[in-house]
PDB file of all heavy atoms in Angstrom:
ATOM      1  N   ASP G  24      88.291  80.029  82.491  1.00  0.00           N
ATOM      2  CA  ASP G  24      87.471  79.440  81.451  1.00  0.00           C
ATOM      3  C   ASP G  24      86.315  78.657  82.033  1.00  0.00           C
ATOM      4  O   ASP G  24      86.400  78.173  83.160  1.00  0.00           O
ATOM      5  CB  ASP G  24      88.322  78.522  80.573  1.00  0.00           C
ATOM      6  CG  ASP G  24      87.702  78.239  79.192  1.00  0.00           C
ATOM      7  OD1 ASP G  24      86.694  78.856  78.857  1.00  0.00           O
ATOM      8  OD2 ASP G  24      88.239  77.382  78.506  1.00  0.00           O
ATOM      9  N   GLY G  25      85.250  78.560  81.288  1.00  0.00           N
ATOM     10  CA  GLY G  25      84.120  77.711  81.695  1.00  0.00           C
ATOM     11  C   GLY G  25      82.852  78.497  82.139  1.00  0.00           C
ATOM     12  O   GLY G  25      81.911  77.888  82.619  1.00  0.00           O
ATOM     13  N   ARG G  28      79.769  77.175  80.181  1.00  0.00           N
ATOM     14  CA  ARG G  28      79.261  75.887  80.615  1.00  0.00           C
ATOM     15  C   ARG G  28      78.712  75.909  82.037  1.00  0.00           C
ATOM     16  O   ARG G  28      77.768  75.220  82.321  1.00  0.00           O
ATOM     17  CB  ARG G  28      80.406  74.857  80.522  1.00  0.00           C
ATOM     18  CG  ARG G  28      80.632  74.329  79.095  1.00  0.00           C
ATOM     19  CD  ARG G  28      81.974  73.715  78.937  1.00  0.00           C
ATOM     20  NE  ARG G  28      83.033  74.733  78.824  1.00  0.00           N
ATOM     21  CZ  ARG G  28      84.300  74.459  78.871  1.00  0.00           C
ATOM     22  NH1 ARG G  28      84.745  73.249  79.050  1.00  0.00           N
ATOM     23  NH2 ARG G  28      85.192  75.455  78.750  1.00  0.00           N
ATOM     24  N   ARG G  75      83.263  86.085  68.831  1.00  0.00           N
ATOM     25  CA  ARG G  75      82.003  85.564  69.395  1.00  0.00           C
ATOM     26  C   ARG G  75      80.821  86.432  68.958  1.00  0.00           C
ATOM     27  O   ARG G  75      81.007  87.554  68.480  1.00  0.00           O
ATOM     28  CB  ARG G  75      82.118  85.631  70.947  1.00  0.00           C
ATOM     29  CG  ARG G  75      83.166  84.612  71.453  1.00  0.00           C
ATOM     30  CD  ARG G  75      83.126  84.492  72.966  1.00  0.00           C
ATOM     31  NE  ARG G  75      84.126  83.501  73.369  1.00  0.00           N
ATOM     32  CZ  ARG G  75      84.106  82.893  74.530  1.00  0.00           C
ATOM     33  NH1 ARG G  75      83.177  83.141  75.406  1.00  0.00           N
ATOM     34  NH2 ARG G  75      85.068  81.988  74.806  1.00  0.00           N
ATOM     35  N   ARG G 188      94.379  76.535  84.406  1.00  0.00           N
ATOM     36  CA  ARG G 188      93.287  76.688  83.509  1.00  0.00           C
ATOM     37  C   ARG G 188      92.075  75.961  84.045  1.00  0.00           C
ATOM     38  O   ARG G 188      92.123  74.756  84.285  1.00  0.00           O
ATOM     39  CB  ARG G 188      93.601  76.145  82.093  1.00  0.00           C
ATOM     40  CG  ARG G 188      92.411  76.405  81.153  1.00  0.00           C
ATOM     41  CD  ARG G 188      92.699  76.201  79.725  1.00  0.00           C
ATOM     42  NE  ARG G 188      91.561  76.658  78.900  1.00  0.00           N
ATOM     43  CZ  ARG G 188      91.678  77.103  77.655  1.00  0.00           C
ATOM     44  NH1 ARG G 188      92.815  77.179  77.059  1.00  0.00           N
ATOM     45  NH2 ARG G 188      90.597  77.505  77.004  1.00  0.00           N
TER      46      ARG G 188
HETATM   47 MG1   MG W   3      85.905  78.871  76.957  1.00  0.00          MG
END
Side-chain angles (χ1 to χ4, degrees):
D24 199 9
R28 279 162 285 169
R75 293 189 178 200
R188 183 168 188 151

